[in-house]
Amino acid sequence: MKTIRDHLSVSQIRKYLNCGMQYYYSYVEGIRSAPTGSMIRGLSVDTAANNHFSKKIENNKGIPESDFVEIAVAEHESKQDETDFSVDALDKNQSKDRVSSLAGVYHKNHGKVFVPESVQIKLETVNVNGEKFLGYADLITVDGIVVDNKVRKRHVAPVLSRDIQLVKYAGMSGKRDVGIAIVADVKEPRAYYYQEKITDKHIDIVDKKIDWVKLGIENGIFLPAPEGSWYCSEKWCSYWNICEFGK
């Protein structure tokens, strides 16, 4: 049984750490789950942001807010019929309306502020064993900040020096300043921005964590989520009905 794919990524590492069985069903058995409403809202805003910042590199202005919102809504419409809204507080149409609001808030608060050097940057490293780690940074600004876009239901001030994605991407890109541009996915969306400097120690800690995850995967160790975890439930886990630790 092949347990390691041709590359590792942050999404794989996070899924394994959240629940080894979810990793197993998704990446070993190849059973993919439908995206949720919150996922496609985030993807829709991200798609509009990529368009905006790519244009901003060309003209120093980006695209108007109306175009930004239109792109986000169109992306939502292209994905909504294959999306599982059953675990979402919003139905398909409500979710599309929410995306319109989220996109507008992002454009006003983040889109006008960041000056991009590059967008959707492919980051790839290969270790001495030929093992590949692959990622895509949303944005690197002209002053060298690696920025991640996030649409989140809950707003809790993040500790970026412990964020696997931002720390790993800092190490891969050779940058040391990272930021996260958040839009809260609530009835009246709000924008937040956090920034932090990453040290070699932070990078070393994340790399060690990734090495331990890789070792677990290679040895076929797929622990279920900790008892009481909210994501280990029928509502939130799409593998609940087939997992030996679920139903």
Side-chain angles (χ1 to χ4, degrees):
M1 180 192 301
K2 184 179 180 182
T3 55
I4 291 282
R5 305 177 82 200
D6 59 353
H7 70 273
L8 278 176
S9 66
V10 169
S11 59
Q12 292 178 54
I13 299 299
R14 282 178 170 166
K15 188 177 286 288
Y16 183 91
L17 290 172
N18 283 339
C19 177
M21 292 305 295
Q22 284 194 6
Y23 177 96
Y24 172 79
Y25 287 119
S26 180
Y27 293 109
V28 180
E29 293 292 338
I31 303 172
R32 307 318 295 261
S33 57
T36 63
S38 60
M39 288 180 184
I40 68 162
R41 288 194 291 277
L43 175 62
S44 299
V45 173
D46 217 25
T47 299
N50 292 340
N51 278 267
H52 171 71
F53 289 122
S54 295
K55 191 67 176 177
K56 197 169 185 178
I57 291 173
E58 298 175 9
N59 65 9
N60 294 318
K61 295 187 297 183
I63 60 177
E65 181 180 336
S66 58
D67 291 353
F68 192 104
V69 171
E70 184 177 339
I71 290 170
V73 169
E75 180 68 19
H76 188 284
E77 289 176 336
S78 73
K79 299 286 192 299
Q80 62 190 24
D81 290 337
E82 59 192 51
T83 298
D84 180 9
F85 288 97
S86 65
V87 298
D88 205 71
L90 308 175
D91 63 25
K92 179 170 65 177
N93 293 323
Q94 291 170 329
S95 181
K96 185 171 69 173
D97 290 341
R98 176 69 61 82
V99 159
S100 178
S101 299
L102 292 167
V105 169
Y106 184 98
H107 188 276
K108 287 186 181 75
N109 293 273
H110 300 314
K112 293 182 178 180
V113 173
F114 296 127
V115 181
E117 177 184 84
S118 48
V119 180
Q120 276 297 295
I121 307 95
K122 182 179 181 180
L123 301 172
E124 184 177 326
T125 57
V126 181
N127 65 17
V128 293
N129 298 316
E131 298 162 334
K132 185 188 300 183
F133 198 100
L134 183 63
Y136 289 87
D138 287 336
L139 173 70
I140 295 180
T141 67
V142 291
D143 46 350
I145 305 169
V146 180
V147 179
D148 186 33
N149 296 317
K150 280 287 183 286
V151 173
R152 289 182 171 173
K153 188 71 176 177
R154 296 180 180 178
H155 172 248
V156 178
V159 180
L160 303 189
S161 58
R162 300 189 69 85
D163 184 290
I164 290 176
Q165 178 171 323
L166 283 170
V167 174
K168 183 63 178 174
Y169 287 2
M172 295 172 79
S173 66
K175 309 295 184 184
R176 287 298 180 268
D177 291 303
V178 300
I180 185 167
I182 300 171
V183 179
D185 186 3
V186 293
K187 187 175 181 180
E188 295 183 5
R190 294 182 180 182
Y192 304 89
Y193 178 69
Y194 298 91
Q195 187 174 318
E196 197 169 334
K197 187 171 288 292
I198 302 304
T199 67
D200 289 344
K201 182 178 180 180
H202 297 140
I203 294 170
D204 185 55
I205 289 171
V206 164
D207 283 343
K208 285 179 179 176
K209 184 177 288 189
I210 291 172
D211 285 343
W212 278 111
V213 168
K214 185 168 69 68
L215 187 63
I217 295 170
E218 288 173 341
N219 285 279
I221 300 171
F222 304 105
L223 294 175
E227 185 177 351
S229 299
W230 64 267
Y231 40 82
C232 186
S233 63
E234 184 172 8
K235 179 177 180 180
W236 296 107
C237 181
S238 57
Y239 305 111
W240 179 261
N241 290 323
I242 60 173
C243 180
E244 60 186 297
F245 301 101
K247 185 176 181 180

